[in-house]
């Protein structure tokens, strides 16, 4: 695979493996958590008011990080999947637009879009596993986790969705969003929920 990443540090021995988790494992876990969260928010006896800000923040971070590292890696490693990557980027923009004005009435539509996202990106991740080395997947996973922590917690559908600009703009927006979250006391992590989705 030819993903434009900095070279690995010199390995003291053959078979060196960087520390961290595979991007595929991270994305699969987050997809499971997002599906469980939308099921909680749309199921019987749901109290969406508590979970809507967390869903919005979790999806905003997740989509931002995928657009910065996962989807460019898929495009580089699987040129035949470029059209599918473009469709996912369009679907992400549409989902972010919905999230920007999300109400309880829109939750069913948001849940369906999350399910389609999980299905589409999940298929791309499965294909990436087949062509990337474990070391490349771990290095991408490390970058994804860093990008998620710096990512916006609110939807910004008008921002660039591809590198290099999204890697510059989104962390700056993330700082502003995080300040707003602290000032308003807005919950943004799954752990902030009374019953967070399991890992």
């Amino acid at each position: 695979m030819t993903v434009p990443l900095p070279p690995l540090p010199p390995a003291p021995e053959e078979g060196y493996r960087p520390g961290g988790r595979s991007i595929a494992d991270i994305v699969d876990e987050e997809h499971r958590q997002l599906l469980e969260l939308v099921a909680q928010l749309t199921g019987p006896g749901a109290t969406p008011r508590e979970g809507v800000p967390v869903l919005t923040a979790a999806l905003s971070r997740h989509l931002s990080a995928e657009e910065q590292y996962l989807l460019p890696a898929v495009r580089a490693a699987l040129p035949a999947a470029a059209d599918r990557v473009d469709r996912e980027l369009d679907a992400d923009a549409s989902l972010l637009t919905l999230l920007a004005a999300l109400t309880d009435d829109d939750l069913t539509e948001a849940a369906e879009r999350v399910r389609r996202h999980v299905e589409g990106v999940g298929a791309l991740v499965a294909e990436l596993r087949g062509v990337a080395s474990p070391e490349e997947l771990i290095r991408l996973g490390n970058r994804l986790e860093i990008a998620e922590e710096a990512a916006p917690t609110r939807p910004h559908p008008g921002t660039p969705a591809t590198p290099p600009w999204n890697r510059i703009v989104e962390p700056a927006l993330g700082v502003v969003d995080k300040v707003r979250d602290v000032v308003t006391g807005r919950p943004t992590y799954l752990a902030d929920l009374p019953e967070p989705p399991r890992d």
Side-chain angles (χ1 to χ4, degrees), residues 35 42 135 162 165 167:
L35 289 173
T42 58
E135 293 79 14
T162 56
W165 294 110
R167 293 180 186 168

Side-chain angles (χ1 to χ4, degrees), residues 30-44 46 48 51-52 55-56 59 63 91 94-96 98-99 102-120:
E30 288 179 2
H31 283 172
R32 282 191 303 275
Q33 291 173 334
L34 289 169
L35 289 173
E36 186 175 329
L37 179 56
V38 295
Q40 286 176 0
L41 296 178
T42 58
V52 167
L55 174 66
T56 301
L59 272 170
L63 295 175
S94 176
L95 180 53
L96 287 171
L98 178 65
L99 290 174
L102 188 64
T103 65
D104 292 355
D105 295 336
D106 298 325
L107 274 174
T108 303
E109 174 65 21
E112 182 54 36
R113 290 186 190 196
V114 168
R115 288 183 198 99
R116 286 195 305 256
H117 167 82
V118 168
E119 183 179 308

Side-chain angles (χ1 to χ4, degrees), residues 30-99:
E30 288 179 2
H31 283 172
R32 282 191 303 275
Q33 291 173 334
L34 289 169
L35 289 173
E36 186 175 329
L37 179 56
V38 295
Q40 286 176 0
L41 296 178
T42 58
T47 54
R49 280 277 164 231
E50 295 174 343
V52 167
V54 173
L55 174 66
T56 301
L59 272 170
S60 296
R61 281 192 304 269
H62 175 78
L63 295 175
S64 173
E66 281 186 351
E67 290 172 358
Q68 290 181 53
Y69 289 101
L70 175 65
L71 296 178
V74 169
R75 189 185 301 274
L78 302 162
D83 288 342
R84 291 169 49 210
V85 169
D86 290 339
R87 284 194 300 272
E88 291 303 326
L89 288 170
D90 290 343
D92 289 356
S94 176
L95 180 53
L96 287 171
T97 300
L98 178 65
L99 290 174

